[in-house]
mmCIF file of all heavy atoms in Angstrom:
data_model
loop_
_atom_site.group_PDB
_atom_site.id
_atom_site.type_symbol
_atom_site.label_atom_id
_atom_site.label_comp_id
_atom_site.label_asym_id
_atom_site.label_seq_id
_atom_site.Cartn_x
_atom_site.Cartn_y
_atom_site.Cartn_z
ATOM 1 N N LYS A 1 -29.899 -29.015 -42.893
ATOM 2 C CA LYS A 1 -28.544 -29.418 -42.571
ATOM 3 C C LYS A 1 -27.617 -29.083 -43.735
ATOM 4 O O LYS A 1 -28.050 -29.021 -44.883
ATOM 5 C CB LYS A 1 -28.468 -30.920 -42.290
ATOM 6 C CG LYS A 1 -29.253 -31.387 -41.079
ATOM 7 C CD LYS A 1 -29.101 -32.887 -40.895
ATOM 8 C CE LYS A 1 -29.861 -33.384 -39.678
ATOM 9 N NZ LYS A 1 -29.740 -34.866 -39.519
ATOM 10 N N ILE A 2 -26.352 -28.873 -43.422
ATOM 11 C CA ILE A 2 -25.345 -28.712 -44.458
ATOM 12 C C ILE A 2 -24.954 -30.106 -44.912
ATOM 13 O O ILE A 2 -24.440 -30.904 -44.123
ATOM 14 C CB ILE A 2 -24.124 -27.939 -43.935
ATOM 15 C CG1 ILE A 2 -24.541 -26.548 -43.451
ATOM 16 C CG2 ILE A 2 -23.064 -27.820 -45.017
ATOM 17 C CD1 ILE A 2 -23.417 -25.755 -42.833
ATOM 18 N N SER A 3 -25.241 -30.423 -46.158
ATOM 19 C CA SER A 3 -25.051 -31.798 -46.621
ATOM 20 C C SER A 3 -24.272 -31.823 -47.932
ATOM 21 O O SER A 3 -24.539 -31.024 -48.840
ATOM 22 C CB SER A 3 -26.419 -32.462 -46.814
ATOM 23 O OG SER A 3 -26.281 -33.797 -47.235
ATOM 24 N N TYR A 4 -23.321 -32.742 -48.004
ATOM 25 C CA TYR A 4 -22.497 -32.912 -49.197
ATOM 26 C C TYR A 4 -22.473 -34.384 -49.598
ATOM 27 O O TYR A 4 -22.556 -35.273 -48.743
ATOM 28 C CB TYR A 4 -21.054 -32.456 -48.936
ATOM 29 C CG TYR A 4 -20.865 -30.967 -48.903
ATOM 30 C CD1 TYR A 4 -21.219 -30.228 -47.785
ATOM 31 C CD2 TYR A 4 -20.342 -30.283 -49.999
ATOM 32 C CE1 TYR A 4 -21.051 -28.850 -47.750
ATOM 33 C CE2 TYR A 4 -20.170 -28.910 -49.972
ATOM 34 C CZ TYR A 4 -20.529 -28.198 -48.851
ATOM 35 O OH TYR A 4 -20.361 -26.840 -48.818
ATOM 36 N N LEU A 5 -22.334 -34.619 -50.895
ATOM 37 C CA LEU A 5 -22.051 -35.957 -51.392
ATOM 38 C C LEU A 5 -20.536 -36.115 -51.479
ATOM 39 O O LEU A 5 -19.812 -35.141 -51.686
ATOM 40 C CB LEU A 5 -22.663 -36.168 -52.770
ATOM 41 C CG LEU A 5 -24.181 -36.012 -52.889
ATOM 42 C CD1 LEU A 5 -24.628 -36.362 -54.307
ATOM 43 C CD2 LEU A 5 -24.902 -36.860 -51.867
ATOM 44 N N THR A 6 -20.049 -37.326 -51.342
ATOM 45 C CA THR A 6 -18.612 -37.563 -51.383
ATOM 46 C C THR A 6 -18.306 -38.949 -51.930
ATOM 47 O O THR A 6 -19.165 -39.841 -51.876
ATOM 48 C CB THR A 6 -17.995 -37.431 -49.966
ATOM 49 O OG1 THR A 6 -16.598 -37.685 -50.029
ATOM 50 C CG2 THR A 6 -18.637 -38.418 -49.000
ATOM 51 N N ASP A 7 -17.094 -39.102 -52.459
ATOM 52 C CA ASP A 7 -16.648 -40.441 -52.842
ATOM 53 C C ASP A 7 -15.938 -41.115 -51.674
ATOM 54 O O ASP A 7 -15.464 -42.242 -51.782
ATOM 55 C CB ASP A 7 -15.738 -40.401 -54.073
ATOM 56 C CG ASP A 7 -14.542 -39.481 -53.905
ATOM 57 O OD1 ASP A 7 -14.394 -38.867 -52.828
ATOM 58 O OD2 ASP A 7 -13.750 -39.364 -54.863
ATOM 59 N N GLY A 8 -15.869 -40.419 -50.530
ATOM 60 C CA GLY A 8 -15.342 -41.002 -49.309
ATOM 61 C C GLY A 8 -16.452 -41.666 -48.516
ATOM 62 O O GLY A 8 -17.548 -41.910 -49.033
ATOM 63 N N SER A 9 -16.196 -41.925 -47.263
ATOM 64 C CA SER A 9 -17.182 -42.613 -46.429
ATOM 65 C C SER A 9 -18.247 -41.646 -45.921
ATOM 66 O O SER A 9 -18.010 -40.438 -45.793
ATOM 67 C CB SER A 9 -16.484 -43.272 -45.238
ATOM 68 O OG SER A 9 -15.804 -42.300 -44.461
ATOM 69 N N SER A 10 -19.427 -42.187 -45.646
ATOM 70 C CA SER A 10 -20.491 -41.389 -45.036
ATOM 71 C C SER A 10 -20.102 -41.085 -43.591
ATOM 72 O O SER A 10 -19.646 -41.961 -42.863
ATOM 73 C CB SER A 10 -21.816 -42.155 -45.063
ATOM 74 O OG SER A 10 -22.248 -42.373 -46.390
ATOM 75 N N ARG A 11 -20.283 -39.842 -43.175
ATOM 76 C CA ARG A 11 -19.921 -39.463 -41.813
ATOM 77 C C ARG A 11 -20.491 -38.092 -41.506
ATOM 78 O O ARG A 11 -20.987 -37.391 -42.393
ATOM 79 C CB ARG A 11 -18.402 -39.421 -41.641
ATOM 80 C CG ARG A 11 -17.707 -38.496 -42.613
ATOM 81 C CD ARG A 11 -16.206 -38.457 -42.405
ATOM 82 N NE ARG A 11 -15.532 -37.803 -43.520
ATOM 83 C CZ ARG A 11 -14.399 -37.127 -43.406
ATOM 84 N NH1 ARG A 11 -13.810 -37.019 -42.229
ATOM 85 N NH2 ARG A 11 -13.832 -36.573 -44.461
ATOM 86 N N THR A 12 -20.402 -37.730 -40.247
ATOM 87 C CA THR A 12 -20.822 -36.402 -39.796
ATOM 88 C C THR A 12 -19.630 -35.708 -39.159
ATOM 89 O O THR A 12 -18.912 -36.306 -38.358
ATOM 90 C CB THR A 12 -21.974 -36.512 -38.777
ATOM 91 O OG1 THR A 12 -23.107 -37.119 -39.404
ATOM 92 C CG2 THR A 12 -22.380 -35.144 -38.277
ATOM 93 N N VAL A 13 -19.414 -34.456 -39.542
ATOM 94 C CA VAL A 13 -18.290 -33.675 -39.016
ATOM 95 C C VAL A 13 -18.847 -32.446 -38.317
ATOM 96 O O VAL A 13 -19.706 -31.751 -38.860
ATOM 97 C CB VAL A 13 -17.335 -33.250 -40.157
ATOM 98 C CG1 VAL A 13 -16.216 -32.368 -39.614
ATOM 99 C CG2 VAL A 13 -16.763 -34.471 -40.858
ATOM 100 N N LYS A 14 -18.361 -32.180 -37.114
ATOM 101 C CA LYS A 14 -18.790 -30.989 -36.375
ATOM 102 C C LYS A 14 -17.697 -29.930 -36.455
ATOM 103 O O LYS A 14 -16.547 -30.190 -36.107
ATOM 104 C CB LYS A 14 -19.099 -31.342 -34.919
ATOM 105 C CG LYS A 14 -20.357 -32.188 -34.761
ATOM 106 C CD LYS A 14 -20.749 -32.308 -33.305
ATOM 107 C CE LYS A 14 -22.045 -33.111 -33.155
ATOM 108 N NZ LYS A 14 -23.189 -32.424 -33.770
ATOM 109 N N ILE A 15 -18.080 -28.760 -36.930
ATOM 110 C CA ILE A 15 -17.147 -27.656 -37.099
ATOM 111 C C ILE A 15 -17.679 -26.435 -36.372
ATOM 112 O O ILE A 15 -18.701 -25.855 -36.783
ATOM 113 C CB ILE A 15 -16.940 -27.312 -38.591
ATOM 114 C CG1 ILE A 15 -16.414 -28.513 -39.364
ATOM 115 C CG2 ILE A 15 -16.012 -26.110 -38.741
ATOM 116 C CD1 ILE A 15 -15.023 -28.950 -38.968
ATOM 117 N N ASP A 16 -17.040 -26.061 -35.282
ATOM 118 C CA ASP A 16 -17.416 -24.855 -34.539
ATOM 119 C C ASP A 16 -18.920 -24.821 -34.249
ATOM 120 O O ASP A 16 -19.586 -23.800 -34.422
ATOM 121 C CB ASP A 16 -16.995 -23.611 -35.336
ATOM 122 C CG ASP A 16 -16.975 -22.349 -34.472
ATOM 123 O OD1 ASP A 16 -16.755 -22.477 -33.254
ATOM 124 O OD2 ASP A 16 -17.194 -21.249 -35.018
ATOM 125 N N GLY A 17 -19.467 -25.961 -33.825
ATOM 126 C CA GLY A 17 -20.886 -26.036 -33.496
ATOM 127 C C GLY A 17 -21.798 -26.304 -34.673
ATOM 128 O O GLY A 17 -23.018 -26.448 -34.502
ATOM 129 N N ILE A 18 -21.242 -26.378 -35.877
ATOM 130 C CA ILE A 18 -22.023 -26.635 -37.087
ATOM 131 C C ILE A 18 -21.829 -28.093 -37.501
ATOM 132 O O ILE A 18 -20.711 -28.598 -37.504
ATOM 133 C CB ILE A 18 -21.575 -25.706 -38.231
ATOM 134 C CG1 ILE A 18 -21.777 -24.248 -37.839
ATOM 135 C CG2 ILE A 18 -22.336 -26.022 -39.523
ATOM 136 C CD1 ILE A 18 -21.149 -23.260 -38.805
ATOM 137 N N THR A 19 -22.919 -28.760 -37.832
ATOM 138 C CA THR A 19 -22.850 -30.157 -38.256
ATOM 139 C C THR A 19 -22.887 -30.241 -39.777
ATOM 140 O O THR A 19 -23.794 -29.701 -40.420
ATOM 141 C CB THR A 19 -24.019 -30.970 -37.679
ATOM 142 O OG1 THR A 19 -23.942 -30.944 -36.248
ATOM 143 C CG2 THR A 19 -23.964 -32.416 -38.142
ATOM 144 N N ILE A 20 -21.893 -30.891 -40.350
ATOM 145 C CA ILE A 20 -21.830 -31.108 -41.801
ATOM 146 C C ILE A 20 -21.964 -32.605 -42.043
ATOM 147 O O ILE A 20 -21.223 -33.408 -41.484
ATOM 148 C CB ILE A 20 -20.503 -30.606 -42.391
ATOM 149 C CG1 ILE A 20 -20.272 -29.141 -42.018
ATOM 150 C CG2 ILE A 20 -20.500 -30.768 -43.909
ATOM 151 C CD1 ILE A 20 -18.929 -28.611 -42.459
ATOM 152 N N GLN A 21 -22.918 -32.961 -42.875
ATOM 153 C CA GLN A 21 -23.167 -34.372 -43.181
ATOM 154 C C GLN A 21 -22.578 -34.725 -44.541
ATOM 155 O O GLN A 21 -22.812 -34.027 -45.523
ATOM 156 C CB GLN A 21 -24.666 -34.642 -43.180
ATOM 157 C CG GLN A 21 -25.045 -36.100 -43.366
ATOM 158 C CD GLN A 21 -26.549 -36.303 -43.331
ATOM 159 O OE1 GLN A 21 -27.300 -35.560 -43.963
ATOM 160 N NE2 GLN A 21 -26.991 -37.300 -42.580
ATOM 161 N N PHE A 22 -21.806 -35.796 -44.592
ATOM 162 C CA PHE A 22 -21.261 -36.312 -45.840
ATOM 163 C C PHE A 22 -21.926 -37.653 -46.133
ATOM 164 O O PHE A 22 -21.953 -38.538 -45.274
ATOM 165 C CB PHE A 22 -19.743 -36.489 -45.746
ATOM 166 C CG PHE A 22 -18.979 -35.203 -45.640
ATOM 167 C CD1 PHE A 22 -18.640 -34.673 -44.401
ATOM 168 C CD2 PHE A 22 -18.602 -34.510 -46.777
ATOM 169 C CE1 PHE A 22 -17.951 -33.488 -44.298
ATOM 170 C CE2 PHE A 22 -17.905 -33.312 -46.678
ATOM 171 C CZ PHE A 22 -17.578 -32.804 -45.442
ATOM 172 N N ARG A 23 -22.451 -37.788 -47.337
ATOM 173 C CA ARG A 23 -23.091 -39.039 -47.741
ATOM 174 C C ARG A 23 -22.346 -39.626 -48.937
ATOM 175 O O ARG A 23 -22.125 -38.934 -49.938
ATOM 176 C CB ARG A 23 -24.564 -38.810 -48.108
ATOM 177 C CG ARG A 23 -25.433 -38.407 -46.928
ATOM 178 C CD ARG A 23 -26.901 -38.287 -47.310
ATOM 179 N NE ARG A 23 -27.146 -37.175 -48.220
ATOM 180 C CZ ARG A 23 -27.536 -37.299 -49.472
ATOM 181 N NH1 ARG A 23 -27.705 -38.502 -50.004
ATOM 182 N NH2 ARG A 23 -27.747 -36.230 -50.218
ATOM 183 N N HIS A 24 -21.959 -40.884 -48.819
ATOM 184 C CA HIS A 24 -21.238 -41.529 -49.913
ATOM 185 C C HIS A 24 -22.144 -41.635 -51.137
ATOM 186 O O HIS A 24 -23.312 -42.007 -51.037
ATOM 187 C CB HIS A 24 -20.768 -42.918 -49.502
ATOM 188 C CG HIS A 24 -20.056 -43.648 -50.598
ATOM 189 N ND1 HIS A 24 -18.746 -43.380 -50.936
ATOM 190 C CD2 HIS A 24 -20.487 -44.609 -51.460
ATOM 191 C CE1 HIS A 24 -18.393 -44.154 -51.949
ATOM 192 N NE2 HIS A 24 -19.422 -44.912 -52.281
ATOM 193 N N ALA A 25 -21.590 -41.297 -52.297
ATOM 194 C CA ALA A 25 -22.333 -41.383 -53.557
ATOM 195 C C ALA A 25 -21.567 -42.257 -54.538
ATOM 196 O O ALA A 25 -20.354 -42.434 -54.423
ATOM 197 C CB ALA A 25 -22.554 -39.987 -54.145
ATOM 198 N N SER A 26 -22.269 -42.783 -55.502
ATOM 199 C CA SER A 26 -21.668 -43.687 -56.474
ATOM 200 C C SER A 26 -20.674 -42.959 -57.374
ATOM 201 O O SER A 26 -20.715 -41.731 -57.516
ATOM 202 C CB SER A 26 -22.761 -44.321 -57.346
ATOM 203 O OG SER A 26 -23.355 -43.336 -58.175
ATOM 204 N N ALA A 27 -19.818 -43.738 -58.002
ATOM 205 C CA ALA A 27 -18.832 -43.163 -58.933
ATOM 206 C C ALA A 27 -19.528 -42.467 -60.092
ATOM 207 O O ALA A 27 -19.036 -41.461 -60.613
ATOM 208 C CB ALA A 27 -17.912 -44.261 -59.452
ATOM 209 N N ARG A 28 -20.673 -42.967 -60.500
ATOM 210 C CA ARG A 28 -21.423 -42.361 -61.611
ATOM 211 C C ARG A 28 -21.831 -40.930 -61.282
ATOM 212 O O ARG A 28 -21.786 -40.042 -62.142
ATOM 213 C CB ARG A 28 -22.671 -43.201 -61.904
ATOM 214 C CG ARG A 28 -23.543 -42.652 -63.038
ATOM 215 C CD ARG A 28 -24.738 -43.554 -63.289
ATOM 216 N NE ARG A 28 -25.583 -43.641 -62.110
ATOM 217 C CZ ARG A 28 -26.514 -42.740 -61.781
ATOM 218 N NH1 ARG A 28 -26.688 -41.669 -62.541
ATOM 219 N NH2 ARG A 28 -27.253 -42.902 -60.710
ATOM 220 N N ILE A 29 -22.225 -40.706 -60.045
ATOM 221 C CA ILE A 29 -22.604 -39.355 -59.625
ATOM 222 C C ILE A 29 -21.376 -38.504 -59.341
ATOM 223 O O ILE A 29 -21.295 -37.348 -59.766
ATOM 224 C CB ILE A 29 -23.507 -39.423 -58.380
ATOM 225 C CG1 ILE A 29 -24.857 -40.045 -58.742
ATOM 226 C CG2 ILE A 29 -23.713 -38.030 -57.777
ATOM 227 C CD1 ILE A 29 -25.773 -40.273 -57.563
ATOM 228 N N MET A 30 -20.371 -39.075 -58.674
ATOM 229 C CA MET A 30 -19.209 -38.291 -58.270
ATOM 230 C C MET A 30 -18.294 -37.932 -59.432
ATOM 231 O O MET A 30 -17.397 -37.109 -59.274
ATOM 232 C CB MET A 30 -18.426 -39.039 -57.199
ATOM 233 C CG MET A 30 -19.133 -39.109 -55.846
ATOM 234 S SD MET A 30 -19.705 -37.503 -55.222
ATOM 235 C CE MET A 30 -18.160 -36.611 -55.105
ATOM 236 N N GLN A 31 -18.527 -38.517 -60.603
ATOM 237 C CA GLN A 31 -17.723 -38.118 -61.761
ATOM 238 C C GLN A 31 -17.990 -36.651 -62.137
ATOM 239 O O GLN A 31 -17.228 -36.035 -62.871
ATOM 240 C CB GLN A 31 -18.008 -39.017 -62.958
ATOM 241 C CG GLN A 31 -19.402 -38.866 -63.544
ATOM 242 C CD GLN A 31 -19.670 -39.895 -64.635
ATOM 243 O OE1 GLN A 31 -18.738 -40.439 -65.196
ATOM 244 N NE2 GLN A 31 -20.928 -40.137 -64.928
ATOM 245 N N TRP A 32 -19.071 -36.077 -61.601
ATOM 246 C CA TRP A 32 -19.378 -34.668 -61.844
ATOM 247 C C TRP A 32 -18.592 -33.735 -60.933
ATOM 248 O O TRP A 32 -18.545 -32.525 -61.177
ATOM 249 C CB TRP A 32 -20.874 -34.420 -61.657
ATOM 250 C CG TRP A 32 -21.715 -34.983 -62.761
ATOM 251 C CD1 TRP A 32 -22.176 -36.260 -62.865
ATOM 252 C CD2 TRP A 32 -22.166 -34.300 -63.922
ATOM 253 N NE1 TRP A 32 -22.890 -36.408 -64.027
ATOM 254 C CE2 TRP A 32 -22.916 -35.222 -64.693
ATOM 255 C CE3 TRP A 32 -22.028 -32.993 -64.389
ATOM 256 C CZ2 TRP A 32 -23.502 -34.885 -65.899
ATOM 257 C CZ3 TRP A 32 -22.622 -32.646 -65.590
ATOM 258 C CH2 TRP A 32 -23.341 -33.577 -66.331
ATOM 259 N N ALA A 33 -18.008 -34.263 -59.889
ATOM 260 C CA ALA A 33 -17.293 -33.418 -58.929
ATOM 261 C C ALA A 33 -16.217 -32.604 -59.630
ATOM 262 O O ALA A 33 -15.415 -33.135 -60.402
ATOM 263 C CB ALA A 33 -16.672 -34.276 -57.827
ATOM 264 N N GLY A 34 -16.208 -31.307 -59.371
ATOM 265 C CA GLY A 34 -15.212 -30.427 -59.974
ATOM 266 C C GLY A 34 -15.613 -29.860 -61.320
ATOM 267 O O GLY A 34 -14.960 -28.942 -61.826
ATOM 268 N N LYS A 35 -16.660 -30.396 -61.927
ATOM 269 C CA LYS A 35 -17.111 -29.869 -63.221
ATOM 270 C C LYS A 35 -17.905 -28.577 -62.999
ATOM 271 O O LYS A 35 -18.667 -28.469 -62.028
ATOM 272 C CB LYS A 35 -17.991 -30.888 -63.948
ATOM 273 C CG LYS A 35 -17.251 -32.107 -64.501
ATOM 274 C CD LYS A 35 -18.232 -33.041 -65.191
ATOM 275 C CE LYS A 35 -17.569 -34.135 -65.996
ATOM 276 N NZ LYS A 35 -16.465 -34.829 -65.329
ATOM 277 N N PRO A 36 -17.765 -27.582 -63.886
ATOM 278 C CA PRO A 36 -18.515 -26.327 -63.731
ATOM 279 C C PRO A 36 -20.023 -26.538 -63.662
ATOM 280 O O PRO A 36 -20.743 -25.789 -63.000
ATOM 281 C CB PRO A 36 -18.122 -25.529 -64.985
ATOM 282 C CG PRO A 36 -16.791 -26.075 -65.383
ATOM 283 C CD PRO A 36 -16.835 -27.535 -65.041
ATOM 284 N N SER A 37 -20.512 -27.569 -64.345
ATOM 285 C CA SER A 37 -21.955 -27.797 -64.398
ATOM 286 C C SER A 37 -22.463 -28.725 -63.300
ATOM 287 O O SER A 37 -23.652 -29.070 -63.284
ATOM 288 C CB SER A 37 -22.345 -28.372 -65.762
ATOM 289 O OG SER A 37 -21.672 -29.598 -66.013
ATOM 290 N N ALA A 38 -21.601 -29.120 -62.376
ATOM 291 C CA ALA A 38 -22.017 -30.050 -61.317
ATOM 292 C C ALA A 38 -23.233 -29.561 -60.533
ATOM 293 O O ALA A 38 -24.154 -30.343 -60.269
ATOM 294 C CB ALA A 38 -20.846 -30.335 -60.379
ATOM 295 N N PRO A 39 -23.298 -28.271 -60.141
ATOM 296 C CA PRO A 39 -24.483 -27.825 -59.408
ATOM 297 C C PRO A 39 -25.778 -27.972 -60.216
ATOM 298 O O PRO A 39 -26.830 -28.273 -59.646
ATOM 299 C CB PRO A 39 -24.188 -26.345 -59.115
ATOM 300 C CG PRO A 39 -22.700 -26.243 -59.154
ATOM 301 C CD PRO A 39 -22.279 -27.207 -60.214
ATOM 302 N N VAL A 40 -25.696 -27.782 -61.529
ATOM 303 C CA VAL A 40 -26.887 -27.931 -62.365
ATOM 304 C C VAL A 40 -27.328 -29.389 -62.393
ATOM 305 O O VAL A 40 -28.516 -29.706 -62.261
ATOM 306 C CB VAL A 40 -26.612 -27.428 -63.802
ATOM 307 C CG1 VAL A 40 -27.901 -27.485 -64.633
ATOM 308 C CG2 VAL A 40 -26.054 -26.015 -63.778
ATOM 309 N N PHE A 41 -26.370 -30.284 -62.559
ATOM 310 C CA PHE A 41 -26.666 -31.709 -62.537
ATOM 311 C C PHE A 41 -27.333 -32.095 -61.225
ATOM 312 O O PHE A 41 -28.358 -32.798 -61.205
ATOM 313 C CB PHE A 41 -25.366 -32.500 -62.723
ATOM 314 C CG PHE A 41 -25.465 -33.958 -62.379
ATOM 315 C CD1 PHE A 41 -26.168 -34.832 -63.198
ATOM 316 C CD2 PHE A 41 -24.865 -34.462 -61.225
ATOM 317 C CE1 PHE A 41 -26.263 -36.187 -62.879
ATOM 318 C CE2 PHE A 41 -24.953 -35.804 -60.903
ATOM 319 C CZ PHE A 41 -25.669 -36.668 -61.728
ATOM 320 N N GLN A 42 -26.776 -31.621 -60.111
ATOM 321 C CA GLN A 42 -27.326 -31.936 -58.804
ATOM 322 C C GLN A 42 -28.736 -31.373 -58.637
ATOM 323 O O GLN A 42 -29.625 -32.033 -58.095
ATOM 324 C CB GLN A 42 -26.420 -31.382 -57.708
ATOM 325 C CG GLN A 42 -25.191 -32.209 -57.439
ATOM 326 C CD GLN A 42 -25.567 -33.524 -56.777
ATOM 327 O OE1 GLN A 42 -25.979 -34.470 -57.443
ATOM 328 N NE2 GLN A 42 -25.447 -33.585 -55.478
ATOM 329 N N ALA A 43 -28.928 -30.136 -59.088
ATOM 330 C CA ALA A 43 -30.247 -29.505 -58.966
ATOM 331 C C ALA A 43 -31.296 -30.245 -59.791
ATOM 332 O O ALA A 43 -32.427 -30.452 -59.340
ATOM 333 C CB ALA A 43 -30.162 -28.046 -59.399
ATOM 334 N N LEU A 44 -30.934 -30.637 -61.004
ATOM 335 C CA LEU A 44 -31.876 -31.376 -61.851
ATOM 336 C C LEU A 44 -32.241 -32.717 -61.221
ATOM 337 O O LEU A 44 -33.408 -33.129 -61.255
ATOM 338 C CB LEU A 44 -31.278 -31.582 -63.248
ATOM 339 C CG LEU A 44 -31.091 -30.331 -64.112
ATOM 340 C CD1 LEU A 44 -30.429 -30.690 -65.441
ATOM 341 C CD2 LEU A 44 -32.432 -29.643 -64.366
ATOM 342 N N ARG A 45 -31.263 -33.402 -60.668
ATOM 343 C CA ARG A 45 -31.532 -34.679 -59.999
ATOM 344 C C ARG A 45 -32.497 -34.477 -58.835
ATOM 345 O O ARG A 45 -33.411 -35.278 -58.624
ATOM 346 C CB ARG A 45 -30.243 -35.303 -59.464
ATOM 347 C CG ARG A 45 -29.339 -35.912 -60.503
ATOM 348 C CD ARG A 45 -28.133 -36.594 -59.856
ATOM 349 N NE ARG A 45 -28.521 -37.719 -59.031
ATOM 350 C CZ ARG A 45 -28.323 -37.785 -57.712
ATOM 351 N NH1 ARG A 45 -27.745 -36.795 -57.065
ATOM 352 N NH2 ARG A 45 -28.688 -38.853 -57.036
ATOM 353 N N TRP A 46 -32.280 -33.411 -58.071
ATOM 354 C CA TRP A 46 -33.136 -33.148 -56.912
ATOM 355 C C TRP A 46 -34.558 -32.787 -57.347
ATOM 356 O O TRP A 46 -35.536 -33.250 -56.753
ATOM 357 C CB TRP A 46 -32.540 -32.024 -56.072
ATOM 358 C CG TRP A 46 -33.382 -31.656 -54.887
ATOM 359 C CD1 TRP A 46 -33.471 -32.337 -53.701
ATOM 360 C CD2 TRP A 46 -34.255 -30.537 -54.771
ATOM 361 N NE1 TRP A 46 -34.357 -31.709 -52.856
ATOM 362 C CE2 TRP A 46 -34.851 -30.602 -53.488
ATOM 363 C CE3 TRP A 46 -34.591 -29.482 -55.622
ATOM 364 C CZ2 TRP A 46 -35.766 -29.644 -53.039
ATOM 365 C CZ3 TRP A 46 -35.504 -28.532 -55.186
ATOM 366 C CH2 TRP A 46 -36.077 -28.620 -53.904
ATOM 367 N N LEU A 47 -34.675 -31.969 -58.399
ATOM 368 C CA LEU A 47 -35.991 -31.557 -58.883
ATOM 369 C C LEU A 47 -36.771 -32.737 -59.454
ATOM 370 O O LEU A 47 -37.980 -32.857 -59.251
ATOM 371 C CB LEU A 47 -35.834 -30.466 -59.951
ATOM 372 C CG LEU A 47 -35.406 -29.084 -59.451
ATOM 373 C CD1 LEU A 47 -34.933 -28.224 -60.616
ATOM 374 C CD2 LEU A 47 -36.551 -28.404 -58.707
ATOM 375 N N GLY A 48 -36.073 -33.601 -60.186
ATOM 376 C CA GLY A 48 -36.737 -34.737 -60.813
ATOM 377 C C GLY A 48 -37.320 -34.382 -62.169
ATOM 378 O O GLY A 48 -37.398 -33.207 -62.558
#
């Protein structure tokens, strides 16, 4: 699934037959939003 973290509410959005899932994340995690290194932070968290 196409999945994003957000500081907004958790919800599912359908776009032209595609489902995008938004999951609410804490302020501690979302403080990375917009930072160049955000994808690295996210990848490291996922890898463990």
